[in-house]
Amino acid sequence: MASPAQQLPPGWIAEWNEEHQRYLFIETASSHTQWEEPVGNPTPAQAPMVESAPVAPTGHGKRRQYATGQTQAYYTSDNLAADPGYYGGAPAGGDPNLNQPAAAGGGQQLFTPGLAAMENQFSAQQQQQQGAPAYFQPEGQQPGMGYGQPQQQQQQPAYINNAVDGLTNQFGAMGMGGAQKQFQLNTINMLTSPPEPRDLHVPPPEIRMPPGSCISAAPTAVCDPSYQRMTLNAIPTTSSLLGKAKIPLALVLTPYRTLDEGDAPIPLVTDVIARCRRCRMYINPYVQFIDGGNRWRCCMCNMSNEVPQMFDWDQARNAPGDRWARAELNHSVVEFVAPTEYMVRAPQPAVFVYLIDVSHPAVQSGMVATATRTLLENLDRIPDDDKITKVAIICYDVSLYFFSMAPGSTDSTMLVVSDIDDVFLPKPTDLLVNLSEARPALEALLGRLGDMFQENSIIGSALGPALQAGSKLMAPIGGKIIALSASLPSVGEGALKNREDPKVLGTSKESSLLQAASSFYKTFAIDCSRAQVTVDMFLFSSGYQDVASLANLPHYTTGSTYYYPAFNAARSEDAIKFAHEFGEVLAMPIMLECITRVRASRGLRMASFHGNFFVRSTDLLAMPTVPQNQSYAIEIEIEDTLTAPFVVLQTGMLHTTCFGERRLRVITTAYPTTSNLSEVFASADQIALATLLANKAVERSLSYKLEDARDYIFKKLVDIFITYKSSMTAAGAGASAQLAMAENLRMLPVLVLALLKNVGVRQSAQIPPDIRAYSQSLLTSLPSQLLIPYLYPTFYSLHTMPPEAGTVDEHGVIMPPALPLTSERLERHGLFLIEDGQSIFLWVGRDAVPQLIMDVFDLPNYEVLRGGKFTLPVLENPFSQRVNAIVQKTREMRRGPYWPHLYVVKEDGEAPLRLWALSALIQDRADVLPSYQQFISSVKEKVNGTSY
């Protein structure tokens, strides 16, 4: 290769690098090095400090300017020189303490070997992202603008071009081998790049498919990541390359998520189902038509299949149809109406059995009255489109109380079964009744049920026998048991003892408290799964309830656990929270008798599964019912070398709808393959990675110890940093004053720290085992949209929010800009909101002026304000209305049934509540847990020392 020295600008030399087999360009004046050939612009020392100064294109030279008080990304020296706002002080609007990112590394620059000059091929796209609302704020929020994108943006993934022409041009610019666009890998220094909350809402790295891989130009052909996303959007071709990257390969699924406002409904195909004869994959936008369109080639196994005769026929018009308009060729998520050959039996009706604890603690807490009133008010919302839904009510204390309701009558008869050792059904009929036919009797029963047990003085719970009775009642059909329990099960099968021991908390034995104390719950749950029965648990005990044992029932039956510690309906906040969440669960549409299988291209294998279900075989997941917005994670292994330019993963869910129709939901995603380690890093999805690590942490804490879980996720983070440093930066294996990482993973360290500080994993001797067990159930079931704020809460300053925040525009309520989670942002005269999707804290500074207290709380001054659970009044002043709108939007903006409590936290108020709220500021040091700066420094030490 001829030396390019003759073409170099003055002051530059070229030196051949044997390791990378390419020239390294060195600026003699500053010793600055880069792989890209320099253009003839002035050197950084000579560059005029004007905004139009030319800058040599580099893979990591992008400059990002954040809001006031924020730092900026790591830059190379030549880009700094071109920035007129940099020298002589802080960046414009920036922090003066953070104006030396380059100096932190002793002058050594981060760079990305192995990447050719990009010629700014993505610069326009990046500039568009930097200015686009969707880049910085959730749901399209700009600073000072509202949530919610325009309808066109909501109907398609955020990381693809909005127009078909743009997508076509993008495909046309891609090519196989050297012609295909490379991922742009931007390296930043984590030591000078503090967490920016807006980066959590950046779309995942773009899926860059080879040209011609997708037969549809429709934006819906690329799967929205809210349904199915991978930890890597470019799949390594070999397991050794994957192992070298240290980034786990996994699929994160939320297959039955709530449709957002503006989302188009999932397309329904009613005429024909085309599947590969060999691998059974469903036809999708990534197949190829051959033989004049008479056959199609499977994109997983390359099998040639005949196109079904009805594929080109429009049944609605009874005329030839347009093949290219078919939903399954233009949408990554479709549903098929299943023919009879997909049915083991006829579709069954939806069945709901409500188990209500009526013991003395349940009645005294007001749970029974609140539950029956909520059930009565929501009868119309229970899924019953075809009037075939069946319901039953069983009450229990130390006995079981069945209710016989004759169709067409308003009367009901209570039947008592005291023999809980051998549970039986006291009557063969009228215990499980048709909801519409028995509606009068059901309404009358619910109206007087609370009074029937008002004087009940029995203390004790036969939850196990009640569950057995409910299962027997619905076993021939299947369905859902919704169990409400207000005390520790004490009699019959599944009886538990109080095993809470303060001396064990914080020790290596604590994990034993997070495992089931009785084998009954797992065994019973597996039996329920075989009988197509799901169990949801609502737990209300004022004392120890062994959530860890009871949560096994939802875990293995695809259910959910809801926990209300120290529930007291006399507090309106408690009653409203339970009534809202219970009502949402009652009204939630569910998929019945579901079996799920994930298929993948040759060379990929589903290795392990995480989430609420039972693994029936190596790749078949049994889901008696599937609720909305529940997430699952599947780890994937690379068994053989991937030779295809892209791979396909397809999730198929065979289920019965609430209205008795057998259907198939099919979700298809395709990912390019790569043999380039830099592309592996550039394609990593930090949100999917955090979701997987949360599941892995819980699994490890149950299988081993909590300490092992914490060590595992910390070591996984350090391993990723070590690989990136040794392979992607000039420092190699030596010590470095910088901590390099790909820009698309810049929030991964703070998410790992957030996971380490989450109550489900946190090192502490003060967390009750019930609280910890409930948190772990959330970590393994919440979809990413709920899980990420649960790990990394949202923090707003309300007293200084922009004037438009809290008002309504065409996209809904405008939310304030989010702040980093550090108490440095707290002000003594301020009002702040912190929320994690489960709780909302209103932090009130001790020097808050009386007018602020009057406008928000309708109280004369700070001294008379009381902390704790609170219902915010709506007052006749603009500020009160804006704060209420923000609180209401916070409760509504995420998927799921949860209704977070609002707590008022005074700066000098009760210590436990104050410490709880401050624990949400995860970038601060708390107890034995490090601050973010301490954490990232410890990561740097491990990376440089490569010892654990």
Side-chain angles (χ1 to χ4, degrees), residues 86 101 317 420 442 452 457 469 540 578 587 593 596 669 794 809:
Y86 194 84
R317 296 186 299 111
I420 58 174
L442 189 59
M452 292 169 60
S457 60
F540 302 87
F578 167 52
E593 293 186 277
T596 300
T669 47
T794 309
D809 66 2

Side-chain angles (χ1 to χ4, degrees), residues 533-544:
V533 174
T534 286
V535 181
D536 278 351
M537 295 298 302
F538 286 79
L539 307 174
F540 302 87
S541 178
S542 58
Y544 178 72

Side-chain angles (χ1 to χ4, degrees), residues 409-461:
S409 170
T410 58
D411 296 329
S412 58
T413 305
M414 184 170 74
L415 307 167
V416 183
V417 174
S418 300
D419 183 5
I420 58 174
D421 293 326
D422 185 16
V423 175
F424 64 92
L425 302 179
K427 191 178 179 183
T429 59
D430 295 341
L431 297 178
L432 186 64
V433 296
N434 182 283
L435 174 59
S436 58
E437 293 175 0
R439 180 72 176 267
L442 189 59
E443 290 179 347
L445 172 62
L446 292 172
R448 66 176 189 272
L449 196 59
D451 296 334
M452 292 169 60
F453 295 97
Q454 186 63 44
E455 304 301 324
N456 191 1
S457 60
I458 298 175
I459 297 176
S461 170

Side-chain angles (χ1 to χ4, degrees), residues 546-563:
D546 204 344
V547 173
S549 294
L550 300 180
N552 272 262
L553 294 166
H555 179 72
Y556 291 104
T557 63
T558 333
S560 300
T561 301
Y562 302 89
Y563 183 41

Side-chain angles (χ1 to χ4, degrees), residues 197-316:
R198 292 176 294 183
D199 283 338
L200 290 174
H201 307 286
V202 175
E206 181 185 13
I207 301 175
R208 300 184 175 171
M209 297 293 291
S213 54
C214 183
I215 60 176
S216 170
T220 50
V222 180
C223 186
D224 190 301
S226 60
Y227 285 104
Q228 187 163 282
R229 66 198 302 166
M230 288 279 279
T231 54
L232 294 173
N233 281 348
I235 310 300
T237 53
T238 64
S239 59
S240 61
L241 180 61
L242 178 62
K244 182 178 180 181
K246 301 296 184 182
I247 300 177
L249 182 61
L251 183 70
V252 177
L253 286 168
T254 310
Y256 200 50
R257 73 161 175 85
T258 304
L259 292 178
D260 295 328
E261 185 177 352
D263 282 353
I266 303 301
L268 182 64
V269 179
T270 60
D271 50 356
V272 63
I273 300 177
R275 300 183 69 180
C276 175
R277 290 181 295 121
R278 178 190 291 156
C279 69
R280 308 305 292 158
M281 181 202 72
Y282 299 89
I283 198 168
N284 58 73
Y286 299 97
V287 304
Q288 288 183 327
F289 286 99
I290 56 176
D291 192 17
N294 294 319
R295 304 178 70 83
W296 62 276
R297 177 173 287 125
C298 175
C299 53
M300 280 190 184
C301 69
N302 286 328
M303 182 75 175
S304 175
N305 301 275
E306 290 187 4
V307 174
Q309 290 184 349
M310 298 298 294
F311 202 72
D312 298 312
W313 187 260
D314 188 335
Q315 285 189 330

Side-chain angles (χ1 to χ4, degrees), residues 416-602:
V416 183
V417 174
S418 300
D419 183 5
I420 58 174
D421 293 326
D422 185 16
V423 175
F424 64 92
L425 302 179
K427 191 178 179 183
T429 59
D430 295 341
L431 297 178
L432 186 64
V433 296
N434 182 283
L435 174 59
S436 58
E437 293 175 0
R439 180 72 176 267
L442 189 59
E443 290 179 347
L445 172 62
L446 292 172
R448 66 176 189 272
L449 196 59
D451 296 334
M452 292 169 60
F453 295 97
Q454 186 63 44
E455 304 301 324
N456 191 1
S457 60
I458 298 175
I459 297 176
S461 170
L463 175 62
L467 289 165
Q468 290 176 323
S471 178
K472 286 178 181 289
L473 197 58
M474 66 199 312
I477 305 173
K480 176 174 279 195
I481 296 174
I482 300 179
L484 287 67
S485 173
S487 57
L488 190 69
S490 57
V491 296
E493 285 275 17
L496 299 169
K497 295 180 180 180
N498 189 337
R499 54 182 177 141
E500 186 175 25
D501 184 357
K503 295 192 296 294
V504 174
L505 302 183
T507 70
S508 60
K509 297 180 180 179
E510 184 178 4
S511 59
S512 64
L513 301 180
L514 303 176
Q515 299 164 352
S518 169
S519 61
F520 165 79
Y521 292 100
K522 181 174 181 180
T523 303
F524 177 75
I526 294 173
D527 290 340
C528 284
S529 180
R530 291 195 184 99
Q532 303 296 339
V533 174
T534 286
V535 181
D536 278 351
M537 295 298 302
F538 286 79
L539 307 174
F540 302 87
S541 178
S542 58
Y544 178 72
Q545 198 167 5
D546 204 344
V547 173
S549 294
L550 300 180
N552 272 262
L553 294 166
H555 179 72
Y556 291 104
T557 63
T558 333
S560 300
T561 301
Y562 302 89
Y563 183 41
Y564 307 87
F567 176 84
N568 185 354
R571 286 193 299 263
S572 61
E573 292 82 10
D574 282 9
I576 291 171
K577 175 181 174 65
F578 167 52
H580 180 274
E581 295 183 357
F582 188 42
E584 290 299 304
V585 171
L586 293 174
M588 184 183 295
I590 54 176
M591 299 194 286
L592 309 167
E593 293 186 277
C594 179
I595 54 172
T596 300
R597 176 177 273 123
V598 180
R599 295 178 173 86
S601 296
R602 286 179 179 175

Side-chain angles (χ1 to χ4, degrees), residues 656-668:
T656 301
T657 63
C658 296
F659 44 87
E661 185 175 64
R662 199 68 172 154
R663 286 190 178 181
L664 271 159
R665 175 165 289 201
V666 177
I667 304 170
T668 308

Side-chain angles (χ1 to χ4, degrees), residues 656-898:
T656 301
T657 63
C658 296
F659 44 87
E661 185 175 64
R662 199 68 172 154
R663 286 190 178 181
L664 271 159
R665 175 165 289 201
V666 177
I667 304 170
T668 308
T669 47
Y671 302 91
T673 57
T674 181
S675 57
N676 189 331
L677 186 60
S678 65
E679 291 193 348
V680 174
F681 277 105
S683 71
D685 182 345
Q686 59 190 359
I687 302 300
L689 269 171
T691 305
L692 174 68
L693 290 176
N695 281 273
K696 294 283 286 183
V698 172
E699 178 190 59
R700 289 225 160 212
S701 70
L702 297 177
S703 303
Y704 303 98
K705 295 181 295 187
L706 278 164
E707 185 179 357
D708 292 334
R710 293 189 290 267
D711 290 345
Y712 170 81
I713 55 178
F714 181 69
K715 184 178 185 300
K716 182 61 67 176
L717 178 68
V718 171
D719 284 345
I720 294 172
F721 270 102
I722 290 174
T723 299
Y724 194 87
K725 173 191 165 190
S726 62
S727 304
M728 296 290 110
T729 72
S736 172
Q738 300 175 346
L739 185 63
M741 182 46 62
E743 187 177 23
N744 50 296
L745 292 176
R746 65 179 300 152
M747 293 299 284
L748 184 61
V750 78
L751 289 174
V752 168
L753 177 63
L755 181 55
L756 290 169
K757 290 190 173 186
N758 185 274
V759 292
V761 183
R762 182 193 306 168
Q763 180 182 355
S764 173
Q766 309 298 322
I767 301 174
D770 278 352
I771 299 292
R772 199 185 282 277
Y774 176 61
S775 176
Q776 290 197 345
S777 76
L778 294 176
L779 290 175
T780 56
S781 62
L782 290 178
S784 297
Q785 190 185 28
L786 276 168
L787 176 65
I788 297 305
Y790 182 57
L791 293 175
Y792 190 90
T794 309
F795 182 27
Y796 301 129
S797 171
L798 299 183
H799 65 292
T800 59
M801 60 183 174
E804 64 273 12
T807 63
V808 179
D809 66 2
E810 65 270 20
H811 306 309
V813 176
I814 301 171
M815 300 299 280
L819 302 176
L821 291 176
T822 171
S823 57
E824 294 176 359
R825 297 307 183 99
L826 293 176
E827 298 172 342
R828 286 193 168 187
H829 61 275
L831 177 68
F832 298 87
L833 185 148
I834 312 168
E835 65 88 20
D836 65 358
Q838 301 295 316
S839 303
I840 299 174
F841 301 103
L842 271 182
W843 177 278
V844 187
R846 68 174 69 179
D847 294 337
V849 296
Q851 188 61 50
L852 174 66
I853 305 300
M854 177 63 72
D855 285 350
V856 178
F857 303 103
D858 199 22
L859 294 171
N861 54 54
Y862 175 84
E863 284 71 26
V864 299
L865 180 64
R866 292 290 172 264
K869 292 177 185 175
F870 197 83
T871 300
L872 208 58
V874 182
L875 306 176
E876 293 298 323
N877 70 78
F879 190 69
S880 169
Q881 294 165 1
R882 291 166 62 201
V883 171
N884 271 277
I886 290 169
V887 170
Q888 185 67 20
K889 178 68 175 180
T890 297
R891 284 174 163 152
E892 294 175 353
M893 67 183 178
R894 299 195 186 95
R895 307 182 184 111
Y898 302 100

